[in-house]
Amino acid sequence: MVSDSELIARLREFLKESDLNTTTTAIVRRRLEEDFGIDLSEKKKFIREQVDVYLQIQFENAEEEEQEQDKDDQMAKIKSEETDDSDSDVEEEESERTRNKRAPAKKGSKGVNNEVKRRGGGFNKVCRLSPQLQKLLGVPELARTEVVKQIWAYIREKNLQDPDNKKNIICDEPLNALFGVHSIDMFQMNKALSKHIWPLDSDEVVSVKSTEKEKQHKHEREGGMDGK
């Protein structure tokens, strides 16, 4: 029997070497089934949640790298201002090291994001958002990767990370309405988010549309009765 930890480890190895623009949760599940020789049909939800965790960790790492790069840039600028003209060679060498250090993060973050917007496949395929998530982000459809990005942008903008443990999120009123809790850690948040991100043709979307139509018909019936 394969443990969850073994599945997670292999899932992350596979995603690390995969193109997120073409890879899907179904592809990940089939690859895991091939690797372990078992049927993982009952693990579909678990695998989807772990994919979201991986995407969030990747985004978090990219953000931290960019913050470190900003610090390096600031230090290089200060050092440059304090250095005499005679030390120009040293400045050039420091600048070169900074550029080299920046290159990988650019490739993994902004470069990928631009490619995501152009291609929009795999995990970057546009999905339908739940009414609660639509209210928070202001759009009805978005790729899973962009949902993670915008949620974290919102969290940072509102300064909602616990200063003692930045992986713990203090929910303000909109996040509380979305998750139903006053605080949530990043792993629980991924699991909760997956319930609000649906394929465009999913049963959840059909159910929501049906509910909306029923409410509309009910309103029309009640309006007709009032008219009588």
Side-chain angles (χ1 to χ4, degrees):
M1 186 68 180
V2 178
S3 65
D4 287 349
S5 60
E6 289 176 307
L7 286 176
I8 293 171
R10 182 65 192 108
L11 177 147
R12 292 183 180 180
E13 288 177 2
F14 177 58
L15 288 177
K16 186 180 293 186
E17 60 190 28
S18 300
D19 180 0
L20 299 184
N21 294 293
T22 57
T23 305
T24 65
T25 303
I27 291 174
V28 174
R29 177 171 57 84
R30 287 195 293 269
R31 179 58 181 270
L32 292 174
E33 288 178 335
E34 291 175 3
D35 289 349
F36 293 105
I38 57 176
D39 181 10
L40 295 172
S41 299
E42 296 181 356
K43 288 281 190 178
K44 288 181 180 180
K45 184 178 179 181
F46 174 79
I47 292 171
R48 184 173 65 247
E49 290 169 355
Q50 292 306 315
V51 167
D52 286 341
V53 169
Y54 174 84
L55 295 175
Q56 183 164 308
I57 290 174
Q58 291 298 102
F59 175 71
E60 275 288 276
N61 290 341
E63 286 288 294
E64 290 176 2
E65 286 179 3
E66 288 184 2
Q67 290 175 5
E68 288 298 319
Q69 291 160 17
D70 289 340
K71 290 179 181 178
D72 289 343
D73 287 344
Q74 289 291 336
M75 292 299 295
K77 183 177 180 181
I78 293 172
K79 185 173 182 179
S80 176
E81 292 173 351
E82 294 176 348
T83 302
D84 295 330
D85 292 340
S86 60
D87 295 329
S88 59
D89 291 341
V90 176
E91 290 180 23
E92 186 175 348
E93 183 179 346
E94 179 68 24
S95 178
E96 184 64 26
R97 284 202 298 269
T98 302
R99 286 196 297 271
N100 290 339
K101 187 175 182 180
R102 289 173 63 93
K106 285 185 177 180
K107 181 179 178 182
S109 55
K110 294 181 181 178
V112 170
N113 288 338
N114 290 336
E115 184 68 14
V116 165
K117 292 176 182 178
R118 288 196 298 270
R119 297 177 64 182
F123 294 122
N124 300 308
K125 184 179 180 180
V126 173
C127 298
R128 172 74 64 177
L129 308 186
S130 71
Q132 299 93 326
L133 191 53
Q134 288 184 39
K135 186 175 181 180
L136 178 67
L137 300 183
V139 292
E141 300 173 1
L142 207 61
R144 302 178 77 89
T145 50
E146 286 299 308
V147 170
V148 172
K149 180 179 178 180
Q150 292 197 26
I151 285 288
W152 274 100
Y154 176 86
I155 289 169
R156 288 200 170 91
E157 179 186 354
K158 301 295 183 180
N159 196 27
L160 300 177
Q161 288 178 279
D162 186 338
D164 296 325
N165 179 8
K166 291 189 176 295
K167 294 190 184 298
N168 192 45
I169 311 304
I170 301 169
C171 297
D172 61 359
E173 186 174 341
L175 288 184
N176 179 267
L178 182 65
F179 299 127
V181 294
H182 295 295
S183 65
I184 190 169
D185 68 41
M186 61 178 288
F187 300 106
Q188 292 172 333
M189 185 173 74
N190 266 298
K191 186 174 182 179
L193 267 180
S194 66
K195 300 176 182 178
H196 295 274
I197 305 173
W198 312 325
L200 293 178
D201 57 350
S202 70
D203 294 337
E204 287 91 341
V205 176
V206 174
S207 176
V208 169
K209 288 182 177 179
S210 298
T211 302
E212 290 176 348
K213 286 183 179 179
E214 289 175 4
K215 288 181 179 179
Q216 183 178 355
H217 292 327
K218 182 179 179 181
H219 180 72
E220 291 173 352
R221 288 198 301 271
E222 291 176 349
M225 292 175 65
D226 291 340
K228 293 180 182 180

